[in-house]
Amino acid sequence: MRAAAFLIPVLAVSTLVAAEAPKKELVKTESLASVSSFKPGEPFKVGIRFKIEPEWHIYWINPGESGEATMVEWTFPEGYKVGPTEYPVPVNFLQPGDIKGYGYLDEVMLMATVTPPADARPGTEVPYSAEAKWLVCHDVCIPGKASFDGKLTVASSATPTNEQLFKNWTQRLPVWDFPRIKDVVAGTKWSQPNGSDGPFELIVNWANQPPAKVEWFIGTPSDIMLKDESSSTDGSQSKLTFTPVPVPDQIIKVPVVVAFTDAAGKRQGVEFSFKLGKGPAVPKGQAAASGNNPQ
């Protein structure tokens, strides 16, 4: 038995055109680790770095109105726990035909945290593999994939490597640990004011004045579209209203990333989630707090 972490690709009905791959390599990928040797039981990170040709893009977990999610799957031996794929805060872009997309330009690194077993024996080499799949688009869309194999050594103490690179991309991940950003975000919540058949409201309450350029990214599955989207910022609160179509038969947990530019001009993001599906209705006017809502 082998342990693997993966994210199912999120698809959308695409009006973009698939094409034969051009001679030029549009996406260059490499496999990296935050250590060359690791200590038993001590977590470390692995990542796939994507370098994207100018004017082209790849996609976030929800590609927007068209496209396909970028997927990375890591495989380690039994006993190694691989966390979920970590996606940096995405950007908005318009595609041909004014089709809205969510994803990445120029460069991105998708990471995961690996926790080795506490009884891993120092001196042994641990093999691992990774597979990446993506769709790169500009005026046409071209699927891509890459496979990697590597080895890391178990040691009595870890040997860090690629430290600055992993630090840079870790800082670009959306924050779900609210105490770390309590000076920016006071809380989040979601509700369906008109009952289970009504529109959703997602809300971020800011600790002080709202930051600049607030953008919403909703990680809905491929068969769900968001209708009548409307976002606003009033006072110290930002709100997104939308209607999902169709409503899933079962309750699912949907991730939300709210991107913003802080006072220092740095782009950040806060992450939380809400529940979507046919289930007990939220009482009218009552907000349902996300599991990551700070107290």
Side-chain angles (χ1 to χ4, degrees), residues 195-281:
S196 60
D197 294 328
F200 276 79
E201 290 184 351
L202 307 181
I203 294 172
V204 175
N205 289 312
W206 306 105
N208 298 296
Q209 292 296 317
K213 200 177 181 181
V214 176
E215 296 178 305
W216 296 82
F217 299 91
I218 315 299
T220 48
S222 59
D223 57 346
I224 298 174
M225 302 299 292
L226 305 185
K227 303 294 184 181
D228 304 321
E229 287 185 73
S230 176
S231 61
S232 62
T233 296
D234 184 13
S236 60
Q237 184 180 91
S238 292
K239 179 168 67 175
L240 177 72
T241 303
F242 63 90
T243 300
V245 179
V247 177
D249 291 331
Q250 296 182 339
I251 300 292
I252 60 174
K253 189 176 181 180
V254 179
V256 179
V257 171
V258 185
F260 59 90
T261 301
D262 64 18
K266 181 181 177 182
R267 194 164 189 272
Q268 297 192 54
V270 58
E271 182 176 1
F272 62 103
S273 64
F274 69 96
K275 293 180 180 179
L276 174 62
K278 295 179 180 178

Side-chain angles (χ1 to χ4, degrees), residues 48-70:
I48 299 293
R49 188 182 187 185
F50 298 80
K51 292 186 177 180
I52 308 158
E53 189 70 15
E55 299 184 358
W56 292 76
H57 57 260
I58 61 175
Y59 294 94
W60 184 57
I61 56 172
N62 179 350
E65 295 176 340
S66 180
E68 182 175 334
T70 303

Side-chain angles (χ1 to χ4, degrees), residues 148-161:
F148 303 92
D149 293 294
K151 292 181 179 179
L152 295 172
T153 303
V154 186
S156 57
S157 60
T159 303
T161 186

Side-chain angles (χ1 to χ4, degrees), residues 5-290:
F6 63 95
L7 181 67
I8 300 298
V10 180
L11 306 176
V13 177
S14 176
T15 58
L16 299 180
V17 180
E20 293 293 330
K23 293 182 179 179
K24 190 169 188 179
E25 191 175 11
L26 298 173
V27 179
K28 297 179 181 179
T29 55
E30 62 177 325
S31 171
L32 299 160
S34 65
V35 294
S36 57
S37 63
F38 61 87
K39 183 178 179 180
E42 190 172 283
F44 60 89
K45 283 187 179 292
V46 289
I48 299 293
R49 188 182 187 185
F50 298 80
K51 292 186 177 180
I52 308 158
E53 189 70 15
E55 299 184 358
W56 292 76
H57 57 260
I58 61 175
Y59 294 94
W60 184 57
I61 56 172
N62 179 350
E65 295 176 340
S66 180
E68 182 175 334
T70 303
M71 184 186 75
V72 174
E73 179 178 341
W74 294 91
T75 304
F76 276 79
E78 183 177 1
Y80 286 74
K81 297 179 181 180
V82 185
T85 303
E86 299 170 353
Y87 289 78
V89 176
V91 298
N92 279 301
F93 45 74
L94 281 180
Q95 304 172 95
D98 290 335
I99 297 171
K100 182 169 60 176
Y102 305 147
Y104 306 101
L105 312 172
D106 301 323
E107 182 178 336
V108 68
M109 188 159 74
L110 304 187
M111 298 174 289
T113 299
V114 181
T115 303
D119 60 356
R121 290 190 303 168
T124 58
E125 287 190 329
V126 177
Y128 66 91
S129 62
E131 293 188 3
K133 295 182 180 179
W134 64 87
L135 187 68
V136 59
C137 297
H138 178 32
D139 51 347
V140 296
C141 287
I142 300 164
K145 61 181 179 179
S147 298
F148 303 92
D149 293 294
K151 292 181 179 179
L152 295 172
T153 303
V154 186
S156 57
S157 60
T159 303
T161 186
N162 302 309
E163 290 182 88
Q164 191 59 48
L165 184 64
F166 275 91
K167 179 180 178 181
N168 290 344
W169 284 106
T170 298
Q171 290 176 343
R172 300 187 192 189
L173 295 174
V175 177
W176 55 267
D177 182 5
F178 284 95
R180 286 171 48 197
I181 54 170
K182 62 183 179 181
D183 57 332
V184 179
V185 178
T188 63
K189 60 183 179 181
W190 64 271
S191 67
Q192 281 182 286
N194 297 319
S196 60
D197 294 328
F200 276 79
E201 290 184 351
L202 307 181
I203 294 172
V204 175
N205 289 312
W206 306 105
N208 298 296
Q209 292 296 317
K213 200 177 181 181
V214 176
E215 296 178 305
W216 296 82
F217 299 91
I218 315 299
T220 48
S222 59
D223 57 346
I224 298 174
M225 302 299 292
L226 305 185
K227 303 294 184 181
D228 304 321
E229 287 185 73
S230 176
S231 61
S232 62
T233 296
D234 184 13
S236 60
Q237 184 180 91
S238 292
K239 179 168 67 175
L240 177 72
T241 303
F242 63 90
T243 300
V245 179
V247 177
D249 291 331
Q250 296 182 339
I251 300 292
I252 60 174
K253 189 176 181 180
V254 179
V256 179
V257 171
V258 185
F260 59 90
T261 301
D262 64 18
K266 181 181 177 182
R267 194 164 189 272
Q268 297 192 54
V270 58
E271 182 176 1
F272 62 103
S273 64
F274 69 96
K275 293 180 180 179
L276 174 62
K278 295 179 180 178
V282 177
K284 186 174 181 179
Q286 177 178 325
S290 87

